Amino acid sequence: VDLVKELKESGVDRAWMGLNSWEQAFAKPELAETAVSQRYLIGPYDSYHSIHKPGEEQWITAEFPDTSLYENAVIEDKNGEKITGFQDIGRKLNPTLSLPAVKNRLAAIEGNGVAFNSWFIDCDATGEIYDDYTPEHITTQQEDLQARLDRMALIRDSRKVIGSEGGNDFAASTIAFAHGIELQSFSWMDEDMKSNKDSEYYIGKYYNPKGGAAERFTKQVPVKEQYAQIFLNPGYDVPLYKLVYNDSVITTYHWDWSTFKIIDKVADRMLREVLYNVPPLYHLDSTEWEKYKAPITEHTAVWSGFSKEAVQQEMTDFAYLTENRMVQMTKYGEQLQAVANYTDEEYQFENISIPGHSVLIKQNGNEVIYTPGM
C-alpha cells in the first residue's frame, strides 16, 4: 500500500498493476482499494487454458468447482486423444464450454469485495486455437476463437479493462492491452536461460524467500548474442502492429522481460519505449522501488508526456533513416514525432544533432533530446 502511494507521489500518475493471482488481493484487499483510489488500474492474472484433474490441481486457475468439466469439456485431437495442458499437465478446456465457469469465478472473486478494475487473461489472444473432435461437442477453430473473445468481452463488460497475452489481430476489437508483442517469451529456447542455475544467463527462480518480487523478474542478466540479434536488435524492428493498432491496443513486453531485466540493453529499450509508444514494465517491491526509483521517475516523466498524446492517435509514419536501420523515425497524427538514434555516433536530423543512444521528441512545437540515464 505504501509503495502504491509512493508511486503516485513520485509523479507516476497512470499505471496498470498486475497481480499473479486474485488471492493476493484477498489477503490484503486494501491494496486494490488504494490502487483504485489513486486512479490506477489493478487486476489479477486469470486463465481458462488448462484444467487439472480434480483434487490434483497444481495452480489455482486450473481448478474449477464443476469437476465434471475435466471429463466432459476438454479438447480432443482427430485421433481421439485428449490435448494436454500447459507443461503437459492436465488437459485443455474447450472455450465454448467455459462461459459458466468464467461467470462463476468472476462472481466468486467479486463476492469477496475486491475492487479490481482490470483483468488479465492468459493465452486467449496468443492465437492458440483448436478444432475439437470430441463427438459430444465438435468445435471448429472459428468457434473456439469466438468463444475466447466472448469470455473476454464478458469480463470487459463487467467494467474491467481487459488484456491478454499475445494480443493478436483477432483480439484487437476486444482487449485494451497486450503483453508479449513488444518482446515475446524466449527463455524457454535455451537451457542456460531456463534451468542452468550456475549460468550467468539463468533468468532466475519464481521464488523470493523474503516474500517480495521473485528473482525471475528482478535478477538482471545478459542475453546470448544469437538471441540479442533476433529479439533485441533494433535493425530488425518493423512496427506493423503499431501502424494499425496504436490508438486501440496498448502493447508491452512479456512479463519475463521487464525494462531493467537485460543488463546491457536498458537504455536502448527506454529509447524504444518512446519511439514506439510502449509502456515500460517493472516488477516492484519496496527493495526494487528504492533501487530504481530515480530512473523510473525520470523515464516516466518523459515517456508519459509523450505517450499521453501518442496513444490517442494513429501511427502515421515510420522510417529507417540510416542504411543499417539503427536510426528510426515514428510519427503520430500530424505533429508528434520521435527519432531514435541507437548508434554510438551523433546523427543530424533536420539540423538537430541527436547524440548516440538518445531520442529526439518533437511535440507541440517543442524539440527535446532525451538520453536515458541507465
Side-chain angles (χ1 to χ4, degrees):
V1 170
D2 289 341
L3 177 54
V4 172
K5 292 177 179 177
E6 284 192 44
L7 278 170
K8 191 73 171 187
E9 291 166 1
S10 75
V12 180
D13 65 343
R14 298 287 188 276
W16 176 83
M17 298 179 175
L19 307 180
N20 71 358
S21 167
W22 54 85
E23 290 182 308
Q24 290 175 304
F26 287 177
K28 193 160 190 172
E30 59 266 39
L31 174 63
E33 293 168 6
T34 303
V36 172
S37 74
Q38 300 298 324
R39 298 189 67 199
Y40 292 144
L41 294 173
I42 184 167
Y45 171 96
D46 195 7
S47 178
Y48 301 91
H49 174 272
S50 299
I51 180 170
H52 294 174
K53 186 176 181 179
E56 300 179 9
E57 295 90 353
Q58 295 192 26
W59 50 83
I60 191 171
T61 60
E63 178 180 351
F64 297 90
D66 182 358
T67 57
S68 70
L69 295 176
Y70 187 74
E71 295 297 338
N72 301 328
V74 295
I75 301 172
E76 288 185 7
D77 63 21
K78 60 185 178 181
N79 297 318
E81 299 292 329
K82 308 291 187 187
I83 296 179
T84 57
F86 181 64
Q87 294 185 341
D88 289 329
I89 302 170
R91 298 168 177 174
K92 284 194 171 74
L93 184 64
N94 184 316
T96 69
L97 303 173
S98 71
L99 274 182
V102 177
K103 293 176 182 177
N104 288 340
R105 182 174 288 175
L106 198 63
I109 294 171
E110 291 181 330
N112 274 274
V114 178
F116 288 133
N117 55 8
S118 182
W119 217 266
F120 179 83
I121 300 291
D122 200 10
C123 300
D124 275 3
T126 62
E128 185 183 10
I129 56 178
Y130 293 93
D131 290 316
D132 183 356
Y133 292 86
T134 308
E136 292 78 15
H137 48 80
I138 292 174
T139 306
T140 67
Q141 288 187 28
Q142 182 61 43
E143 290 169 324
D144 178 301
L145 186 153
Q146 186 59 52
R148 294 173 190 271
L149 297 179
D150 288 345
R151 68 187 176 199
M152 289 194 291
L154 172 71
I155 298 171
R156 177 201 65 195
D157 294 343
S158 68
R159 301 181 66 82
K160 307 288 191 298
V161 179
I162 193 163
S164 184
E165 181 186 5
N168 272 299
D169 175 89
F170 65 81
S173 62
T174 306
I175 60 175
F177 63 94
H179 287 202
I181 283 184
E182 302 300 339
L183 186 55
Q184 62 184 295
S185 172
F186 63 91
S187 60
W188 57 270
M189 299 174 69
D190 184 272
E191 289 300 319
D192 285 337
M193 284 191 284
K194 183 173 67 172
S195 58
N196 182 3
K197 296 178 182 180
D198 295 324
S199 171
E200 64 175 325
Y201 302 107
Y202 176 59
I203 70 170
K205 298 175 289 188
Y206 275 112
Y207 174 70
N208 183 336
K210 297 180 180 179
E215 179 187 75
R216 184 178 181 91
F217 307 120
T218 61
K219 178 190 175 190
Q220 284 193 298
V221 295
V223 171
K224 292 180 181 180
E225 183 60 24
Q226 67 261 40
Y227 302 114
Q229 283 297 317
I230 295 169
F231 296 106
L232 299 163
N233 185 336
Y236 295 116
D237 278 337
V238 188
L240 298 179
Y241 193 95
K242 284 289 186 179
L243 282 160
V244 179
Y245 294 117
N246 176 71
D247 57 347
S248 176
V249 181
I250 295 171
T251 62
T252 190
Y253 315 114
H254 185 276
W255 50 89
D256 275 348
W257 301 107
S258 68
T259 299
F260 296 127
K261 181 69 175 175
I262 303 170
I263 196 165
D264 57 345
K265 302 294 183 181
V266 176
D268 280 355
R269 292 181 70 194
M270 287 179 169
L271 296 184
R272 190 181 186 279
E273 287 166 3
V274 175
L275 182 70
Y276 289 149
N277 184 33
V278 174
L281 177 67
Y282 309 119
H283 294 284
L284 296 179
D285 56 19
S286 57
T287 301
E288 294 298 299
W289 171 241
E290 288 304 316
K291 181 178 179 181
Y292 292 114
K293 182 176 181 179
I296 287 174
T297 52
E298 175 189 296
H299 183 61
T300 297
V302 176
W303 177 84
S304 184
F306 181 85
S307 181
K308 283 177 182 177
E309 185 174 340
V311 77
Q312 299 182 65
Q313 304 183 62
E314 293 184 23
M315 182 187 281
T316 51
D317 197 7
F318 167 76
Y320 302 114
L321 302 183
T322 57
E323 187 174 348
N324 66 2
R325 303 188 294 275
M326 297 299 282
V327 181
Q328 301 176 18
M329 181 275 295
T330 55
K331 189 174 182 180
Y332 301 85
E334 296 300 318
Q335 302 294 328
L336 186 62
Q337 192 174 29
V339 180
N341 178 9
Y342 293 104
T343 74
D344 296 330
E345 309 297 327
E346 288 190 350
Y347 178 80
Q348 291 295 126
F349 179 78
E350 297 179 351
N351 299 318
I352 301 171
S353 180
I354 307 173
H357 304 282
S358 301
V359 59
L360 166 68
I361 298 171
K362 300 183 74 173
Q363 184 173 9
N364 301 322
N366 298 316
E367 297 169 348
V368 175
I369 301 276
Y370 170 49
T371 305
M374 294 297 294

